[in-house]
């Protein structure tokens, strides 16, 4: 597998990972393998076979929202891949900038309405203040309840801090939250691009993204992963990971004793040892079988999969099954009667 110019075991202790002997929670590990298999099966039935619901007998997966096993299968990331990453009319620089903007809005419906992606090299303040502002105004006029941002990420940081940046820059308060995001990228386009280009490893890209006020660890890592989809970007998602709050909780479910590893090292350890763990607990984990509908080279379970679907989602599952707490978002089925549930 092509790792481009990745620093291997970036920002973690390679020897610690290779020599650690942590203790796992067997019950949770079994839930983990089951969840990954079943969530993948749901995607296959729903998106590949186009079967009607329900796609599982599992009540937790049937009733609540869980991310796909692979991040690239999620609705919003699919929009990014199609409209930005694979867009031959966009320069490398514009792909970086539109990826940054995409994740601080994270709602493809909004971006479609705005006619994104943008060519920031040709954009003017007049374009933003007149054309784009008119679009956001018309949307709010037609649908006062329309929510411009996704509920999947907490984006309070960019909304507030980008607003403070603009207030200093323009000596005025920008009330339109979407305009805040676009103007921030517009004003900072050279800094964003040059910092990405000059980074010598994955951690430097992450730290550069995090240097913008309002972009925390979680969002910086998500933008970094988006950038790895760009062919010209020198790094991949395979050798660097940052554990977010939900991921941290999931790791605490999985590991009874970490043997001194930090959260990122636990993610590396589990990903590297997934086959041995499955064998130890007699869990089915034949990736050619589980991901049979993917090209041969994509039938892998990666470090990013572990961070995104493995740890974060096992926290949601275990809290529901063992902690009597519901996930925040229920799954809403389209055009069917659920009165019999």
């Amino acid at each position: 597998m092509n790792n481009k110019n990745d620093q291997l075991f970036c920002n973690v202790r390679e020897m610690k990972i290779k020599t650690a002997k942590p203790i796992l929670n067997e019950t949770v590990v079994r839930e983990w393998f089951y969840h990954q298999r079943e969530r993948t099966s749901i995607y296959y039935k729903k998106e590949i076979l186009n079967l009607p619901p329900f796609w599982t007998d599992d009540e937790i997966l049937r009733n609540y929202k869980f991310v796909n096993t692979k991040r690239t299968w999620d609705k919003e990331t699919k929009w990014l891949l199609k409209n930005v990453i694979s867009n031959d009319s966009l320069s490398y620089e514009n792909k970086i900038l539109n990826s940054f903007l995409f994740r601080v809005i994270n709602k493809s419906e909004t971006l479609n309405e705005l006619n994104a992606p943008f060519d920031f090299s040709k954009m003017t303040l007049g374009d933003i203040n007149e054309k784009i502002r008119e679009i956001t105004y018309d949307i709010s006029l037609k649908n006062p309840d329309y929510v411009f941002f996704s509920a999947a990420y907490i984006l309070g940081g960019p909304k507030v801090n980008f607003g403070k940046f603009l207030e200093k820059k323009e000596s005025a308060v920008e009330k339109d939250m979407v305009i805040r995001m676009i103007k921030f990228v517009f004003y900072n386009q050279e800094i964003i691009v040059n910092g990405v280009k000059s980074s010598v490893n994955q951690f430097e890209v992450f730290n550069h993204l995090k240097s913008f006020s309002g972009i925390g660890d979680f969002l910086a890592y998500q933008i970094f992963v988006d950038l790895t989809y760009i062919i010209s970007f020198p790094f991949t998602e395979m050798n660097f990971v940052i554990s977010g709050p939900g991921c941290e909780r999931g790791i605490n479910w999985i590991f009874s004793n970490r043997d001194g590893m930090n959260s990122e090292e636990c993610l590396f350890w589990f990903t590297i040892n997934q086959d041995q763990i499955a064998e130890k607990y007699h869990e089915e984990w034949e990736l050619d079988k589980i991901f049979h509908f993917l090209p041969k080279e994509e039938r892998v379970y990666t470090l990013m999969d572990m961070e995104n679907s493995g740890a974060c989602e096992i926290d949601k599952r275990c809290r529901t099954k063992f902690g009597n707490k519901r996930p925040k978002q229920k799954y809403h089925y389209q055009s069917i009667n659920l009165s019999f549930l």
Side-chain angles (χ1 to χ4, degrees):
M1 188 171 292
N2 180 17
N3 290 329
K4 297 186 179 180
N5 296 320
D6 282 359
Q7 177 183 319
L8 304 182
F9 293 94
C10 184
N11 198 42
V12 292
R13 296 170 294 172
E14 179 180 356
M15 285 309 299
K16 181 62 183 175
I17 293 165
K18 289 183 174 179
T19 59
K21 299 186 184 303
I23 299 171
L24 305 183
N25 183 319
E26 181 176 349
T27 302
V28 172
V29 169
R30 293 192 182 282
E31 287 291 327
W32 187 92
F33 280 107
Y34 167 78
H35 183 94
Q36 302 310 311
R37 294 192 302 262
E38 194 66 13
R39 187 64 186 87
T40 304
S41 175
I42 289 170
Y43 177 83
Y44 175 64
K45 292 172 185 174
K46 179 176 181 283
E47 302 293 342
I48 306 300
L49 298 183
N50 293 311
L51 296 176
F54 300 102
W55 307 287
T56 180
D57 293 327
D58 183 86
E59 290 189 11
I60 296 174
L61 282 166
R62 179 184 283 195
N63 292 317
Y64 299 101
K65 273 191 176 182
F66 288 86
V67 302
N68 285 299
T69 317
K70 293 195 172 290
R71 187 176 186 267
T72 51
W73 297 348
D74 290 335
K75 175 188 171 185
E76 304 305 335
T77 303
K78 281 182 177 179
W79 185 93
L80 175 76
L81 292 169
K82 178 183 177 182
N83 293 279
V84 175
I85 305 304
S86 301
N87 189 338
D88 292 335
S89 67
L90 284 181
S91 66
Y92 176 50
E93 291 77 12
N94 273 312
K95 287 182 179 182
I96 292 172
L97 296 170
N98 278 282
S99 296
F100 188 106
L101 177 65
F102 162 78
R103 202 51 81 175
V104 296
I105 293 177
N106 202 44
K107 190 169 183 178
S108 55
E109 185 182 351
T110 296
L111 292 159
N112 282 332
E113 290 289 338
L114 298 174
N115 298 313
F118 302 116
D119 184 344
F120 282 94
S121 65
K122 295 179 180 178
M123 180 182 275
T124 66
L125 275 177
D127 293 331
I128 302 173
N129 283 323
E130 295 164 23
K131 296 176 184 177
I132 298 175
R133 192 182 301 278
E134 184 178 353
I135 293 171
T136 63
Y137 178 77
D138 287 345
I139 293 171
S140 296
L141 201 63
K142 292 174 185 175
N143 183 3
D145 296 325
Y146 180 75
V147 179
F148 284 88
F149 298 85
S150 167
Y153 292 172
I154 299 172
L155 297 170
K159 289 176 183 176
V160 173
N161 289 279
F162 290 9
K164 290 178 180 177
F165 169 86
L166 291 174
E167 193 171 349
K168 288 182 181 178
K169 186 80 175 175
E170 300 184 335
S171 299
V173 176
E174 177 56 73
K175 294 182 179 179
D176 187 316
M177 294 294 179
V178 172
I179 299 295
R180 280 188 187 185
M181 303 301 179
I182 297 170
K183 278 188 174 181
F184 185 87
V185 177
F186 173 80
Y187 281 125
N188 289 286
Q189 56 186 291
E190 287 189 11
I191 299 172
I192 293 170
V193 168
N194 291 340
V196 169
K197 284 184 171 182
S198 64
S199 295
V200 299
N201 61 34
Q202 306 95 299
F203 191 50
E204 281 198 10
V205 178
F206 166 78
N207 276 331
H208 169 62
L209 295 169
K210 202 176 75 164
S211 71
F212 296 98
S213 183
I215 304 291
D217 285 9
F218 175 79
L219 203 51
Y221 177 60
Q222 296 303 318
I223 297 170
F224 165 81
V225 175
D226 288 334
L227 296 179
T228 67
Y229 302 142
I230 304 173
I231 291 176
S232 304
F233 187 69
F235 310 116
T236 77
E237 65 180 42
M238 306 296 288
N239 291 287
F240 174 68
V241 70
I242 295 293
S243 172
C247 187
E248 179 79 20
R249 292 191 297 268
I251 292 166
N252 288 336
W253 278 103
I254 295 168
F255 289 82
S256 298
N257 185 313
R258 300 182 178 198
D259 192 22
M261 290 188 292
N262 65 28
S263 297
E264 286 76 20
E265 289 162 350
C266 286
L267 294 172
F268 266 91
W269 184 92
F270 198 98
T271 305
I272 291 168
N273 292 287
Q274 57 187 281
D275 292 332
Q276 290 83 355
I277 298 167
E279 185 178 352
K280 177 179 178 180
Y281 294 107
H282 306 289
E283 287 288 335
E284 180 190 339
W285 196 240
E286 294 178 46
L287 297 185
D288 279 336
K289 182 177 179 181
I290 294 168
F291 297 118
H292 62 91
F293 52 94
L294 295 180
K296 181 77 173 175
E297 66 275 10
E298 294 179 21
R299 297 175 193 172
V300 293
Y301 192 87
T302 70
L303 184 62
M304 179 62 221
D305 299 334
M306 182 61 194
E307 191 282 335
N308 186 57
S309 171
C312 287
E313 301 304 276
I314 200 63
D315 169 56
K316 286 162 60 177
R317 180 172 188 86
C318 288
R319 279 188 289 138
T320 306
K321 186 164 184 177
F322 307 124
N324 200 27
K325 294 180 180 179
R326 295 181 177 181
K328 292 179 181 178
Q329 294 183 313
K330 291 205 73 170
Y331 187 86
H332 298 290
Y333 293 85
Q334 304 297 319
S335 305
I336 60 170
N337 183 359
L338 298 182
S339 60
F340 56 86
L341 270 183

